[in-house]
Amino acid sequence: MLTTRFPYGAPNWIDLGSPDLDASLAFYSSLFGWRPEPAGPEAGGYVLLRLDGRTAAGAMALDPDRGRAGWTVYFRCADALGTAEAAGVAHGTVVFQPTEVRGLARVAGLKDPAGAAFRVWQPDPVEGLEAATEPGALCWVELHTPDVAASAAFYHRVLGVETSGVSFPGGTYTSLYPAGAGEDAMFGGVVTTLDDPADTGRPPQWLPYFGAADTDALVARATELGGSVRMPATSVPGVGRLARVADPHGYEFALIKGDPAQEA
């Protein structure tokens, strides 16, 4: 489960790059109740998105030279430079070298060999998000890729992430957890794009899941605000009720309300 303790290798930040930042802030504020707050003049226009006064995400105007459109997942690391070098050795791509984001962290932009973009976050001084695993906050991340085994090997080599197979109706899910932390610390999974119609024609990506008190209500609200449904709300025994949607710019994310039996 994602927590705000953020062990090395686990997701600890997420942000949105948008060509129309004001419109995106309006959409997500209406959907999740987030309140935008400028990170300060030294942060170059970066915006913190607050949930009940705690940081749940970040956002910025799209910078095509260094950023990417849509949601980007960050993983906590001890050494951004060393992690970027490890990604290159493992046949990934360094999109941009470690850079200081004043008042927040040292970050690097990377892609895995299949092309899925992600970033690493070396705290300086901010450890990570202040809200996680609750309605309106990041609670899971999922890599959609054509080769599950190859991707799992890459992230193990670069981030130390370990995997295990979790049985569910219809198959086995490849889960992710920090090195040495055990399966109780699972924070995400890896699925093949070959089996998901919602991935047809889409490049590999990290899909963030945000917690929902009522998945169906949030899906309806997202469409009212100009978003679209990529996968309708569906109940998965032992997991919860989840849906996959896109904001008005087409940037995807998922919603989930956990199964009470699983949470017990």
Side-chain angles (χ1 to χ4, degrees):
M1 178 181 294
L2 250 171
T3 74
T4 54
R5 292 190 296 273
F6 303 125
Y8 290 119
N12 70 330
W13 197 264
I14 187 169
D15 62 21
L16 178 73
S18 172
D20 188 339
L21 185 56
D22 288 342
S24 291
L25 294 179
F27 173 85
Y28 287 101
S29 295
S30 296
L31 186 65
F32 292 132
W34 292 343
R35 294 293 176 262
E37 179 181 304
E42 71 280 1
Y46 198 82
V47 176
L48 301 176
L49 301 174
R50 304 286 199 181
L51 177 68
D52 297 330
R54 297 162 298 145
T55 305
M60 58 188 167
L62 182 63
D63 181 350
D65 294 329
R66 300 192 48 213
R68 66 180 290 269
W71 288 103
T72 300
V73 177
Y74 293 67
F75 297 86
R76 189 177 190 267
C77 70
D79 177 5
L81 179 59
T83 304
E85 291 174 346
V89 171
H91 307 293
T93 301
V94 179
V95 178
F96 65 86
Q97 292 288 343
T99 303
E100 299 289 344
V101 180
R102 292 185 180 179
L104 292 175
R106 183 172 174 80
V107 304
L110 309 171
K111 287 186 178 180
D112 67 22
F118 66 103
R119 292 181 181 174
V120 292
W121 177 287
Q122 178 185 336
D124 187 22
V126 175
E127 294 290 331
L129 301 172
E130 297 170 329
T133 314
E134 62 183 88
L138 184 68
C139 62
W140 192 257
V141 296
E142 194 170 70
L143 178 63
H144 291 236
T145 183
D147 190 330
V148 171
S151 293
F154 172 83
Y155 288 98
H156 175 72
R157 185 171 182 181
V158 174
L159 297 175
V161 173
E162 298 178 354
T163 62
S164 65
V166 178
S167 297
F168 72 99
T172 301
Y173 185 83
T174 300
S175 65
L176 301 171
Y177 55 95
E183 296 182 12
D184 288 344
M186 288 188 296
F187 61 73
V190 187
V191 298
T192 174
T193 54
L194 305 179
D195 294 340
D196 191 340
D199 284 323
T200 301
R202 301 184 184 281
Q205 64 171 327
W206 280 98
L207 182 71
Y209 281 68
F210 296 101
D214 184 331
T215 303
D216 296 78
L218 273 187
V219 170
R221 180 59 176 157
T223 56
E224 289 173 2
L225 294 168
S228 57
V229 179
R230 297 289 165 80
M231 185 191 81
T234 304
S235 293
V236 179
V239 176
R241 189 158 179 82
L242 55 91
R244 187 169 168 181
V245 300
D247 68 18
H249 290 103
Y251 305 146
E252 291 187 80
F253 59 98
L255 302 166
I256 185 168
K257 178 180 180 180
D259 186 330
Q262 183 72 5
E263 294 173 352

